[in-house]
């Protein structure tokens, strides 16, 4: 991971255009004439982001959904996607999943590239969106006195993953086919002071939001709505892949979409998070760690 | 390859938005408000598009240049790139090459993703451009009576590749660090009836232009300017990676950039090409065959 961190530092040094937001946000935000584009690119690699045994239709769904979730965090309306596709086994299943997810969101396939290669296979997707509100929300911007909110429930992807492994009878859909909170992001964009999607675990992503905004977040862990049993609360708050939206609002503003207040924003200090009053100044153990 | 063709057929069926141009052009062309975006995504895979022994700095250069060449073929001005980067060996060399090529073209890195994975490593790049002229040139549009032109000389990449292998003393730069004809593309866009970049071999790409435009192209093979010795003319016309621009102009219009007239456009018929008078109705053997 240290080599990865050094490399990402080098890439950040190249990304000095303001549209890149220092590679520290969910997406690039690029003004073009009178329009503001929101651009994101994520890759999924076999054996790392999905198992060899995964249904390629689910891989296609997830590839699109995780990118659209980045657009949702910016309140952007998706305009289309470009696909980097590596040929392999059961490619028609991939296309079926792609058709499902693009149809679900009404987003067109605009182009891309098809290559041989692998194993392991690697897929890339670029999502292009148009900002529906400016300024476009970022992770930086939370202010002391704001309240902290999250959409939906946490832990559904964790249970879905376990169901996929056959460990439980639960439905694996939440893990296999996550949903991007596009309408919620668009409704929230004009109101929030900061927003991001929860991809790597609620607590880790909250830590990042606090760091980007140079504030501390006080979180009432018991207030976080769970899709999992109560005895798994701590895990559910650290599990990724739920793709809910985490955001801050001025105290007097109610969110226009279903969401739960889980904490508040305090002035920055040595601890980025206070979890039920306990200061957390180190992000180790807060979620799924990878650079993105 | 038949599986690949079937798969690409399935993807084309999904790409019904006009901006996708049926996945049959060099790039997608998307109207956003008053702007027209030009979008392209290409991947390079270790062992397929570059050897294990390649300098990662050259891989980075080529990854950016091939995508910018697609923008050049549309007369687009590049606005930025998103990078899908797979961690591996000598990553700092990759970043150095990336800095070189982005600096050369004055194009910012806007975002992307960094993942573990491989070998083989796979890299993806999305280039975002803005059309400088509308309508944006396509491969379709050549009309009988037009003349056929090409920029630069063919065969430099072929010689460069051989130099890289140590077979000759020639310079390998043309193969390792191809140039995208961005200023030429921008100057030509308002004038051409059809345009594309030469990535897979002049004759194969001419065949594709003829097919897209539903015309026949008459090519005087001896008129094509060569960077290679005369006895390698036939190979040079079939080798890819030169990234020159191939375009058609009405007969009375002179190109505003250095270019050579190599043929003319005739009504469509059973043969897409006439090479020194000989009809060619099958693209086998005309160049480097892969779907893109």
């Amino acid at each position: 991971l240290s080599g990865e961190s050094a490399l990402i530092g080098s890439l950040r040094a190249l990304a000095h255009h303001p549209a890149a937001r220092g590679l520290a946000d969910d997406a690039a935000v690029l003004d073009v004439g009178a329009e503001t584009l929101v651009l994101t690119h994520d890759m999924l690699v076999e054996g790392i982001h999905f198992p060899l045994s995964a249904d390629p239709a689910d891989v296609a769904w997830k590839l699109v959904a995780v990118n659209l979730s980045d657009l949702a965090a910016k309140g952007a309306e998706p305009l289309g996607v470009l696909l980097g596709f590596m040929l392999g086994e059961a490619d028609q299943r991939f296309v079926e999943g792609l058709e499902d997810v693009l149809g679900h969101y009404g987003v067109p396939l605009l182009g891309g590239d098809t290559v041989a290669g692998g194993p392991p296979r690697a897929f890339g997707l670029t999502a292009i969106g148009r900002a529906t509100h400016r300024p476009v929300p970022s992770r930086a911007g939370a202010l002391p006195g704001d309240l902290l909110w999250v959409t939906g429930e946490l832990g559904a992807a964790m249970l879905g993953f376990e169901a996929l492994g056959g460990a439980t009878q639960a439905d694996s859909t939440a893990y296999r086919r996550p949903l991007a909170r596009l309408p919620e992001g668009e409704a929230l964009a004009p109101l929030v002071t900061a927003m991001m999607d929860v991809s790597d675990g609620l607590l880790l992503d909250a830590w990042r939001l606090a760091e980007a905004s140079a504030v501390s977040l006080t979180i009432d862990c018991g207030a976080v709505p769970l899709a999992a049993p109560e005895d798994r609360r701590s895990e559910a708050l650290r599990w990724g892949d739920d793709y809910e939206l985490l955001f801050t609002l001025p105290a007097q503003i109610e969110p226009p979409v279903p969401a739960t207040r889980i904490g508040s924003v305090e002035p920055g200090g040595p601890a980025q998070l206070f979890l039920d009053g306990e200061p957390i100044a180190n992000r180790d153990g807060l979620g799924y760690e990878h650079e993105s």
Side-chain angles (χ1 to χ4, degrees), chain A residues 181-216:
Chain A
R181 293 280 193 189
L182 287 162
E184 291 85 352
E186 200 168 322
L188 287 165
L191 304 171
V192 297
T193 50
M195 183 156 63
M196 68 186 297
D197 69 329
V198 179
S199 56
D200 294 339
L202 176 69
L203 298 184
L204 178 57
D205 286 329
W207 198 94
R208 291 169 171 157
L209 191 150
E211 192 180 41
S213 295
V215 296
S216 291

PDB file of all heavy atoms in Angstrom, chain A residues 181-216:
ATOM      1  N   ARG A 181     -27.929   6.306  -5.924  1.00  0.00           N
ATOM      2  CA  ARG A 181     -28.969   7.206  -5.408  1.00  0.00           C
ATOM      3  C   ARG A 181     -29.056   8.479  -6.243  1.00  0.00           C
ATOM      4  O   ARG A 181     -28.863   9.601  -5.732  1.00  0.00           O
ATOM      5  CB  ARG A 181     -28.648   7.551  -3.957  1.00  0.00           C
ATOM      6  CG  ARG A 181     -28.744   6.382  -2.990  1.00  0.00           C
ATOM      7  CD  ARG A 181     -30.172   6.124  -2.626  1.00  0.00           C
ATOM      8  NE  ARG A 181     -30.321   5.217  -1.474  1.00  0.00           N
ATOM      9  CZ  ARG A 181     -31.503   4.721  -1.111  1.00  0.00           C
ATOM     10  NH1 ARG A 181     -32.604   5.042  -1.793  1.00  0.00           N
ATOM     11  NH2 ARG A 181     -31.596   3.920  -0.077  1.00  0.00           N
ATOM     12  N   LEU A 182     -29.364   8.299  -7.532  1.00  0.00           N
ATOM     13  CA  LEU A 182     -29.367   9.451  -8.437  1.00  0.00           C
ATOM     14  C   LEU A 182     -30.461  10.476  -8.131  1.00  0.00           C
ATOM     15  O   LEU A 182     -30.167  11.678  -8.041  1.00  0.00           O
ATOM     16  CB  LEU A 182     -29.455   8.984  -9.888  1.00  0.00           C
ATOM     17  CG  LEU A 182     -28.163   8.347 -10.423  1.00  0.00           C
ATOM     18  CD1 LEU A 182     -28.433   7.534 -11.681  1.00  0.00           C
ATOM     19  CD2 LEU A 182     -27.127   9.434 -10.730  1.00  0.00           C
ATOM     20  N   PRO A 183     -31.725  10.068  -7.963  1.00  0.00           N
ATOM     21  CA  PRO A 183     -32.745  11.100  -7.674  1.00  0.00           C
ATOM     22  C   PRO A 183     -32.467  11.805  -6.353  1.00  0.00           C
ATOM     23  O   PRO A 183     -32.646  13.025  -6.238  1.00  0.00           O
ATOM     24  CB  PRO A 183     -34.057  10.304  -7.608  1.00  0.00           C
ATOM     25  CG  PRO A 183     -33.765   8.963  -8.198  1.00  0.00           C
ATOM     26  CD  PRO A 183     -32.292   8.716  -8.070  1.00  0.00           C
ATOM     27  N   GLU A 184     -32.008  11.032  -5.356  1.00  0.00           N
ATOM     28  CA  GLU A 184     -31.712  11.640  -4.048  1.00  0.00           C
ATOM     29  C   GLU A 184     -30.572  12.654  -4.180  1.00  0.00           C
ATOM     30  O   GLU A 184     -30.621  13.751  -3.608  1.00  0.00           O
ATOM     31  CB  GLU A 184     -31.332  10.546  -3.042  1.00  0.00           C
ATOM     32  CG  GLU A 184     -32.494   9.632  -2.636  1.00  0.00           C
ATOM     33  CD  GLU A 184     -32.721   8.467  -3.590  1.00  0.00           C
ATOM     34  OE1 GLU A 184     -32.080   8.427  -4.680  1.00  0.00           O
ATOM     35  OE2 GLU A 184     -33.534   7.586  -3.261  1.00  0.00           O
ATOM     36  N   GLY A 185     -29.532  12.283  -4.927  1.00  0.00           N
ATOM     37  CA  GLY A 185     -28.403  13.196  -5.096  1.00  0.00           C
ATOM     38  C   GLY A 185     -28.817  14.492  -5.770  1.00  0.00           C
ATOM     39  O   GLY A 185     -28.376  15.587  -5.387  1.00  0.00           O
ATOM     40  N   GLU A 186     -29.685  14.354  -6.765  1.00  0.00           N
ATOM     41  CA  GLU A 186     -30.136  15.552  -7.480  1.00  0.00           C
ATOM     42  C   GLU A 186     -30.986  16.448  -6.577  1.00  0.00           C
ATOM     43  O   GLU A 186     -30.856  17.674  -6.600  1.00  0.00           O
ATOM     44  CB  GLU A 186     -30.922  15.110  -8.728  1.00  0.00           C
ATOM     45  CG  GLU A 186     -31.015  16.182  -9.771  1.00  0.00           C
ATOM     46  CD  GLU A 186     -31.540  15.673 -11.111  1.00  0.00           C
ATOM     47  OE1 GLU A 186     -31.192  14.530 -11.512  1.00  0.00           O
ATOM     48  OE2 GLU A 186     -32.275  16.419 -11.755  1.00  0.00           O
ATOM     49  N   ALA A 187     -31.836  15.839  -5.738  1.00  0.00           N
ATOM     50  CA  ALA A 187     -32.678  16.627  -4.832  1.00  0.00           C
ATOM     51  C   ALA A 187     -31.840  17.299  -3.746  1.00  0.00           C
ATOM     52  O   ALA A 187     -32.159  18.400  -3.284  1.00  0.00           O
ATOM     53  CB  ALA A 187     -33.742  15.723  -4.197  1.00  0.00           C
ATOM     54  N   LEU A 188     -30.768  16.639  -3.330  1.00  0.00           N
ATOM     55  CA  LEU A 188     -29.964  17.151  -2.221  1.00  0.00           C
ATOM     56  C   LEU A 188     -28.933  18.193  -2.661  1.00  0.00           C
ATOM     57  O   LEU A 188     -28.545  19.064  -1.857  1.00  0.00           O
ATOM     58  CB  LEU A 188     -29.230  15.985  -1.535  1.00  0.00           C
ATOM     59  CG  LEU A 188     -30.111  15.055  -0.691  1.00  0.00           C
ATOM     60  CD1 LEU A 188     -29.381  13.750  -0.373  1.00  0.00           C
ATOM     61  CD2 LEU A 188     -30.530  15.774   0.603  1.00  0.00           C
ATOM     62  N   ALA A 189     -28.471  18.095  -3.906  1.00  0.00           N
ATOM     63  CA  ALA A 189     -27.341  18.928  -4.349  1.00  0.00           C
ATOM     64  C   ALA A 189     -27.500  20.424  -4.045  1.00  0.00           C
ATOM     65  O   ALA A 189     -26.538  21.076  -3.642  1.00  0.00           O
ATOM     66  CB  ALA A 189     -27.064  18.698  -5.834  1.00  0.00           C
ATOM     67  N   PRO A 190     -28.703  21.004  -4.217  1.00  0.00           N
ATOM     68  CA  PRO A 190     -28.805  22.454  -3.958  1.00  0.00           C
ATOM     69  C   PRO A 190     -28.726  22.809  -2.477  1.00  0.00           C
ATOM     70  O   PRO A 190     -28.585  23.982  -2.135  1.00  0.00           O
ATOM     71  CB  PRO A 190     -30.206  22.812  -4.501  1.00  0.00           C
ATOM     72  CG  PRO A 190     -30.633  21.658  -5.340  1.00  0.00           C
ATOM     73  CD  PRO A 190     -29.946  20.458  -4.784  1.00  0.00           C
ATOM     74  N   LEU A 191     -28.848  21.809  -1.602  1.00  0.00           N
ATOM     75  CA  LEU A 191     -29.000  22.088  -0.170  1.00  0.00           C
ATOM     76  C   LEU A 191     -27.778  21.729   0.663  1.00  0.00           C
ATOM     77  O   LEU A 191     -27.516  22.373   1.685  1.00  0.00           O
ATOM     78  CB  LEU A 191     -30.197  21.287   0.378  1.00  0.00           C
ATOM     79  CG  LEU A 191     -31.534  21.516  -0.339  1.00  0.00           C
ATOM     80  CD1 LEU A 191     -32.571  20.520   0.154  1.00  0.00           C
ATOM     81  CD2 LEU A 191     -32.006  22.949  -0.115  1.00  0.00           C
ATOM     82  N   VAL A 192     -27.044  20.708   0.259  1.00  0.00           N
ATOM     83  CA  VAL A 192     -25.979  20.179   1.115  1.00  0.00           C
ATOM     84  C   VAL A 192     -24.786  21.126   1.180  1.00  0.00           C
ATOM     85  O   VAL A 192     -24.530  21.908   0.257  1.00  0.00           O
ATOM     86  CB  VAL A 192     -25.478  18.800   0.607  1.00  0.00           C
ATOM     87  CG1 VAL A 192     -26.603  17.772   0.675  1.00  0.00           C
ATOM     88  CG2 VAL A 192     -24.888  18.894  -0.788  1.00  0.00           C
ATOM     89  N   THR A 193     -24.044  21.016   2.275  1.00  0.00           N
ATOM     90  CA  THR A 193     -22.757  21.711   2.366  1.00  0.00           C
ATOM     91  C   THR A 193     -21.617  20.777   1.952  1.00  0.00           C
ATOM     92  O   THR A 193     -20.569  21.233   1.498  1.00  0.00           O
ATOM     93  CB  THR A 193     -22.534  22.237   3.796  1.00  0.00           C
ATOM     94  OG1 THR A 193     -22.771  21.176   4.728  1.00  0.00           O
ATOM     95  CG2 THR A 193     -23.489  23.384   4.102  1.00  0.00           C
ATOM     96  N   ALA A 194     -21.821  19.453   2.118  1.00  0.00           N
ATOM     97  CA  ALA A 194     -20.866  18.445   1.638  1.00  0.00           C
ATOM     98  C   ALA A 194     -21.656  17.170   1.366  1.00  0.00           C
ATOM     99  O   ALA A 194     -22.688  16.926   1.991  1.00  0.00           O
ATOM    100  CB  ALA A 194     -19.778  18.168   2.673  1.00  0.00           C
ATOM    101  N   MET A 195     -21.159  16.367   0.399  1.00  0.00           N
ATOM    102  CA  MET A 195     -21.842  15.096   0.103  1.00  0.00           C
ATOM    103  C   MET A 195     -20.844  14.145  -0.525  1.00  0.00           C
ATOM    104  O   MET A 195     -19.937  14.544  -1.243  1.00  0.00           O
ATOM    105  CB  MET A 195     -23.035  15.333  -0.837  1.00  0.00           C
ATOM    106  CG  MET A 195     -23.838  14.074  -1.133  1.00  0.00           C
ATOM    107  SD  MET A 195     -25.582  14.400  -1.642  1.00  0.00           S
ATOM    108  CE  MET A 195     -25.378  15.325  -3.160  1.00  0.00           C
ATOM    109  N   MET A 196     -21.031  12.841  -0.250  1.00  0.00           N
ATOM    110  CA  MET A 196     -20.246  11.786  -0.912  1.00  0.00           C
ATOM    111  C   MET A 196     -21.063  10.505  -0.876  1.00  0.00           C
ATOM    112  O   MET A 196     -22.057  10.423  -0.153  1.00  0.00           O
ATOM    113  CB  MET A 196     -18.905  11.585  -0.217  1.00  0.00           C
ATOM    114  CG  MET A 196     -18.990  11.009   1.178  1.00  0.00           C
ATOM    115  SD  MET A 196     -17.371  10.958   2.027  1.00  0.00           S
ATOM    116  CE  MET A 196     -16.452   9.837   0.995  1.00  0.00           C
ATOM    117  N   ASP A 197     -20.653   9.522  -1.663  1.00  0.00           N
ATOM    118  CA  ASP A 197     -21.333   8.236  -1.563  1.00  0.00           C
ATOM    119  C   ASP A 197     -20.540   7.309  -0.644  1.00  0.00           C
ATOM    120  O   ASP A 197     -19.330   7.457  -0.481  1.00  0.00           O
ATOM    121  CB  ASP A 197     -21.584   7.608  -2.942  1.00  0.00           C
ATOM    122  CG  ASP A 197     -20.324   7.149  -3.645  1.00  0.00           C
ATOM    123  OD1 ASP A 197     -19.258   7.768  -3.445  1.00  0.00           O
ATOM    124  OD2 ASP A 197     -20.387   6.171  -4.407  1.00  0.00           O
ATOM    125  N   VAL A 198     -21.243   6.406  -0.009  1.00  0.00           N
ATOM    126  CA  VAL A 198     -20.628   5.488   0.949  1.00  0.00           C
ATOM    127  C   VAL A 198     -20.220   4.227   0.199  1.00  0.00           C
ATOM    128  O   VAL A 198     -21.033   3.347  -0.047  1.00  0.00           O
ATOM    129  CB  VAL A 198     -21.612   5.145   2.085  1.00  0.00           C
ATOM    130  CG1 VAL A 198     -20.964   4.157   3.053  1.00  0.00           C
ATOM    131  CG2 VAL A 198     -22.044   6.400   2.810  1.00  0.00           C
ATOM    132  N   SER A 199     -18.977   4.156  -0.205  1.00  0.00           N
ATOM    133  CA  SER A 199     -18.539   2.988  -0.967  1.00  0.00           C
ATOM    134  C   SER A 199     -17.631   2.080  -0.159  1.00  0.00           C
ATOM    135  O   SER A 199     -17.568   0.887  -0.391  1.00  0.00           O
ATOM    136  CB  SER A 199     -17.815   3.435  -2.240  1.00  0.00           C
ATOM    137  OG  SER A 199     -16.745   4.296  -1.932  1.00  0.00           O
ATOM    138  N   ASP A 200     -16.916   2.628   0.793  1.00  0.00           N
ATOM    139  CA  ASP A 200     -15.896   1.851   1.506  1.00  0.00           C
ATOM    140  C   ASP A 200     -16.207   1.668   2.976  1.00  0.00           C
ATOM    141  O   ASP A 200     -15.339   1.233   3.750  1.00  0.00           O
ATOM    142  CB  ASP A 200     -14.535   2.544   1.367  1.00  0.00           C
ATOM    143  CG  ASP A 200     -14.038   2.541  -0.071  1.00  0.00           C
ATOM    144  OD1 ASP A 200     -14.513   1.698  -0.853  1.00  0.00           O
ATOM    145  OD2 ASP A 200     -13.198   3.386  -0.407  1.00  0.00           O
ATOM    146  N   GLY A 201     -17.429   1.965   3.380  1.00  0.00           N
ATOM    147  CA  GLY A 201     -17.807   1.860   4.790  1.00  0.00           C
ATOM    148  C   GLY A 201     -18.195   3.236   5.312  1.00  0.00           C
ATOM    149  O   GLY A 201     -17.492   4.217   5.067  1.00  0.00           O
ATOM    150  N   LEU A 202     -19.293   3.280   6.054  1.00  0.00           N
ATOM    151  CA  LEU A 202     -19.804   4.564   6.535  1.00  0.00           C
ATOM    152  C   LEU A 202     -18.760   5.317   7.345  1.00  0.00           C
ATOM    153  O   LEU A 202     -18.543   6.514   7.146  1.00  0.00           O
ATOM    154  CB  LEU A 202     -21.050   4.345   7.396  1.00  0.00           C
ATOM    155  CG  LEU A 202     -21.605   5.622   8.039  1.00  0.00           C
ATOM    156  CD1 LEU A 202     -22.201   6.535   6.988  1.00  0.00           C
ATOM    157  CD2 LEU A 202     -22.628   5.293   9.102  1.00  0.00           C
ATOM    158  N   LEU A 203     -18.085   4.619   8.270  1.00  0.00           N
ATOM    159  CA  LEU A 203     -17.180   5.334   9.173  1.00  0.00           C
ATOM    160  C   LEU A 203     -15.941   5.831   8.431  1.00  0.00           C
ATOM    161  O   LEU A 203     -15.493   6.962   8.646  1.00  0.00           O
ATOM    162  CB  LEU A 203     -16.794   4.445  10.355  1.00  0.00           C
ATOM    163  CG  LEU A 203     -17.968   4.007  11.242  1.00  0.00           C
ATOM    164  CD1 LEU A 203     -17.460   3.209  12.443  1.00  0.00           C
ATOM    165  CD2 LEU A 203     -18.811   5.202  11.696  1.00  0.00           C
ATOM    166  N   LEU A 204     -15.390   4.982   7.561  1.00  0.00           N
ATOM    167  CA  LEU A 204     -14.214   5.423   6.801  1.00  0.00           C
ATOM    168  C   LEU A 204     -14.568   6.599   5.887  1.00  0.00           C
ATOM    169  O   LEU A 204     -13.812   7.572   5.772  1.00  0.00           O
ATOM    170  CB  LEU A 204     -13.647   4.259   5.982  1.00  0.00           C
ATOM    171  CG  LEU A 204     -12.441   4.598   5.104  1.00  0.00           C
ATOM    172  CD1 LEU A 204     -11.295   5.187   5.926  1.00  0.00           C
ATOM    173  CD2 LEU A 204     -11.966   3.358   4.343  1.00  0.00           C
ATOM    174  N   ASP A 205     -15.714   6.512   5.234  1.00  0.00           N
ATOM    175  CA  ASP A 205     -16.086   7.604   4.334  1.00  0.00           C
ATOM    176  C   ASP A 205     -16.406   8.878   5.120  1.00  0.00           C
ATOM    177  O   ASP A 205     -16.090   9.984   4.678  1.00  0.00           O
ATOM    178  CB  ASP A 205     -17.231   7.158   3.418  1.00  0.00           C
ATOM    179  CG  ASP A 205     -16.729   6.190   2.332  1.00  0.00           C
ATOM    180  OD1 ASP A 205     -15.558   6.317   1.920  1.00  0.00           O
ATOM    181  OD2 ASP A 205     -17.495   5.311   1.902  1.00  0.00           O
ATOM    182  N   ALA A 206     -16.984   8.718   6.304  1.00  0.00           N
ATOM    183  CA  ALA A 206     -17.217   9.892   7.155  1.00  0.00           C
ATOM    184  C   ALA A 206     -15.881  10.518   7.563  1.00  0.00           C
ATOM    185  O   ALA A 206     -15.734  11.752   7.592  1.00  0.00           O
ATOM    186  CB  ALA A 206     -18.015   9.483   8.398  1.00  0.00           C
ATOM    187  N   TRP A 207     -14.918   9.674   7.853  1.00  0.00           N
ATOM    188  CA  TRP A 207     -13.582  10.156   8.191  1.00  0.00           C
ATOM    189  C   TRP A 207     -13.026  11.003   7.039  1.00  0.00           C
ATOM    190  O   TRP A 207     -12.458  12.078   7.246  1.00  0.00           O
ATOM    191  CB  TRP A 207     -12.677   8.949   8.458  1.00  0.00           C
ATOM    192  CG  TRP A 207     -11.425   9.262   9.216  1.00  0.00           C
ATOM    193  CD1 TRP A 207     -11.238   9.169  10.556  1.00  0.00           C
ATOM    194  CD2 TRP A 207     -10.177   9.705   8.668  1.00  0.00           C
ATOM    195  NE1 TRP A 207      -9.964   9.535  10.884  1.00  0.00           N
ATOM    196  CE2 TRP A 207      -9.290   9.864   9.762  1.00  0.00           C
ATOM    197  CE3 TRP A 207      -9.733   9.994   7.380  1.00  0.00           C
ATOM    198  CZ2 TRP A 207      -7.981  10.298   9.583  1.00  0.00           C
ATOM    199  CZ3 TRP A 207      -8.426  10.432   7.205  1.00  0.00           C
ATOM    200  CH2 TRP A 207      -7.567  10.580   8.293  1.00  0.00           C
ATOM    201  N   ARG A 208     -13.200  10.506   5.820  1.00  0.00           N
ATOM    202  CA  ARG A 208     -12.703  11.243   4.643  1.00  0.00           C
ATOM    203  C   ARG A 208     -13.423  12.574   4.465  1.00  0.00           C
ATOM    204  O   ARG A 208     -12.815  13.586   4.096  1.00  0.00           O
ATOM    205  CB  ARG A 208     -12.888  10.388   3.383  1.00  0.00           C
ATOM    206  CG  ARG A 208     -11.964   9.178   3.355  1.00  0.00           C
ATOM    207  CD  ARG A 208     -12.359   8.228   2.230  1.00  0.00           C
ATOM    208  NE  ARG A 208     -11.359   7.181   2.060  1.00  0.00           N
ATOM    209  CZ  ARG A 208     -11.603   6.005   1.504  1.00  0.00           C
ATOM    210  NH1 ARG A 208     -12.823   5.717   1.056  1.00  0.00           N
ATOM    211  NH2 ARG A 208     -10.642   5.108   1.373  1.00  0.00           N
ATOM    212  N   LEU A 209     -14.732  12.561   4.679  1.00  0.00           N
ATOM    213  CA  LEU A 209     -15.491  13.807   4.552  1.00  0.00           C
ATOM    214  C   LEU A 209     -15.002  14.817   5.588  1.00  0.00           C
ATOM    215  O   LEU A 209     -14.805  16.004   5.279  1.00  0.00           O
ATOM    216  CB  LEU A 209     -16.987  13.518   4.702  1.00  0.00           C
ATOM    217  CG  LEU A 209     -17.944  14.666   4.341  1.00  0.00           C
ATOM    218  CD1 LEU A 209     -19.273  14.106   3.824  1.00  0.00           C
ATOM    219  CD2 LEU A 209     -18.197  15.602   5.488  1.00  0.00           C
ATOM    220  N   ALA A 210     -14.771  14.334   6.817  1.00  0.00           N
ATOM    221  CA  ALA A 210     -14.281  15.223   7.880  1.00  0.00           C
ATOM    222  C   ALA A 210     -12.916  15.794   7.509  1.00  0.00           C
ATOM    223  O   ALA A 210     -12.657  16.999   7.667  1.00  0.00           O
ATOM    224  CB  ALA A 210     -14.191  14.448   9.196  1.00  0.00           C
ATOM    225  N   GLU A 211     -12.051  14.919   7.004  1.00  0.00           N
ATOM    226  CA  GLU A 211     -10.708  15.365   6.629  1.00  0.00           C
ATOM    227  C   GLU A 211     -10.767  16.399   5.500  1.00  0.00           C
ATOM    228  O   GLU A 211     -10.106  17.438   5.547  1.00  0.00           O
ATOM    229  CB  GLU A 211      -9.880  14.153   6.198  1.00  0.00           C
ATOM    230  CG  GLU A 211      -8.406  14.453   6.058  1.00  0.00           C
ATOM    231  CD  GLU A 211      -7.612  13.230   5.637  1.00  0.00           C
ATOM    232  OE1 GLU A 211      -8.094  12.472   4.759  1.00  0.00           O
ATOM    233  OE2 GLU A 211      -6.502  13.051   6.163  1.00  0.00           O
ATOM    234  N   ALA A 212     -11.578  16.118   4.482  1.00  0.00           N
ATOM    235  CA  ALA A 212     -11.685  17.035   3.340  1.00  0.00           C
ATOM    236  C   ALA A 212     -12.258  18.384   3.769  1.00  0.00           C
ATOM    237  O   ALA A 212     -11.875  19.431   3.228  1.00  0.00           O
ATOM    238  CB  ALA A 212     -12.544  16.409   2.236  1.00  0.00           C
ATOM    239  N   SER A 213     -13.169  18.361   4.724  1.00  0.00           N
ATOM    240  CA  SER A 213     -13.820  19.600   5.170  1.00  0.00           C
ATOM    241  C   SER A 213     -13.082  20.270   6.320  1.00  0.00           C
ATOM    242  O   SER A 213     -13.477  21.364   6.741  1.00  0.00           O
ATOM    243  CB  SER A 213     -15.259  19.307   5.617  1.00  0.00           C
ATOM    244  OG  SER A 213     -16.056  18.879   4.528  1.00  0.00           O
ATOM    245  N   ALA A 214     -12.040  19.593   6.848  1.00  0.00           N
ATOM    246  CA  ALA A 214     -11.287  20.121   8.000  1.00  0.00           C
ATOM    247  C   ALA A 214     -12.205  20.384   9.189  1.00  0.00           C
ATOM    248  O   ALA A 214     -12.168  21.448   9.810  1.00  0.00           O
ATOM    249  CB  ALA A 214     -10.498  21.376   7.618  1.00  0.00           C
ATOM    250  N   VAL A 215     -13.058  19.396   9.466  1.00  0.00           N
ATOM    251  CA  VAL A 215     -13.954  19.467  10.617  1.00  0.00           C
ATOM    252  C   VAL A 215     -13.875  18.136  11.368  1.00  0.00           C
ATOM    253  O   VAL A 215     -13.202  17.202  10.929  1.00  0.00           O
ATOM    254  CB  VAL A 215     -15.431  19.692  10.178  1.00  0.00           C
ATOM    255  CG1 VAL A 215     -15.575  21.043   9.490  1.00  0.00           C
ATOM    256  CG2 VAL A 215     -15.897  18.556   9.262  1.00  0.00           C
ATOM    257  N   SER A 216     -14.549  18.059  12.495  1.00  0.00           N
ATOM    258  CA  SER A 216     -14.770  16.785  13.185  1.00  0.00           C
ATOM    259  C   SER A 216     -16.237  16.413  13.026  1.00  0.00           C
ATOM    260  O   SER A 216     -17.107  17.299  13.043  1.00  0.00           O
ATOM    261  CB  SER A 216     -14.449  16.909  14.677  1.00  0.00           C
ATOM    262  OG  SER A 216     -13.066  17.073  14.890  1.00  0.00           O
TER     263      SER A 216
END
